[in-house]
Amino acid sequence: MLGIQNYAGFVAAIVVFQLIPGAGKIAILNASARSGVRAGLATVAGTLLGDLLYMLAVVAGLAAVMAANQLLFDALQWFGAAYLCWIGLQLLRSAGGAAAGGVVTGRIWHQAGDQQPMKPTLDCMPRR
């Protein structure tokens, strides 16, 4: 049976990994700094929804299907990368309007919910 041999090292590694901001944390900080607490909370809700979606995909067996079918796995990665590029382009195009008129909370919620499960390297998928 496998176990944790060095518990203190394990906890230290987890703390370090939690301190490094990922895409979700950056999105939350960005929305909060630009548009206030309400937009930040909407981003948190969208990020949690996105996490829930890919956790449900794992429970449904999507990771096993992806491991068995390399073409499908590659297609999902490229789709996710293309979608993130599209979100980035939309963000660049609307950068001037967002600063002047504020950001709609519902749109932020949807963007956060979309970007979280579309990361090109999903944590639940097999690495190749």
Side-chain angles (χ1 to χ4, degrees):
M1 179 171 172
L2 297 175
I4 299 173
Q5 302 298 323
N6 184 352
Y7 192 72
F10 175 74
V11 171
I14 295 299
V15 168
V16 168
F17 289 140
Q18 290 300 314
L19 292 175
I20 299 170
K25 288 179 186 174
I26 297 295
I28 293 166
L29 290 172
N30 182 34
S32 298
R34 288 179 180 248
S35 303
V37 175
R38 188 171 178 197
L41 291 174
T43 307
V44 168
T47 301
L48 290 175
L49 176 68
D51 287 342
L52 177 67
L53 289 175
Y54 78 61
M55 281 187 258
L56 290 174
V58 169
V59 170
L62 184 62
V65 171
M66 294 293 161
N69 189 340
Q70 180 66 36
L71 182 63
L72 188 60
F73 180 71
D74 290 341
L76 180 67
Q77 281 189 316
W78 282 107
F79 176 76
Y83 186 68
L84 288 176
C85 289
W86 181 76
I87 289 176
L89 289 173
Q90 296 298 320
L91 196 66
L92 288 173
R93 287 184 17 194
S94 67
V103 178
V104 178
T105 306
R107 192 179 82 207
I108 288 176
W109 186 82
H110 284 291
Q111 284 177 346
D114 290 346
Q115 67 91 22
Q116 197 65 7
M118 289 300 161
K119 292 185 274 189
T121 55
L122 291 174
D123 299 331
C124 63
M125 297 301 166
R127 304 273 195 266
R128 302 229 180 204

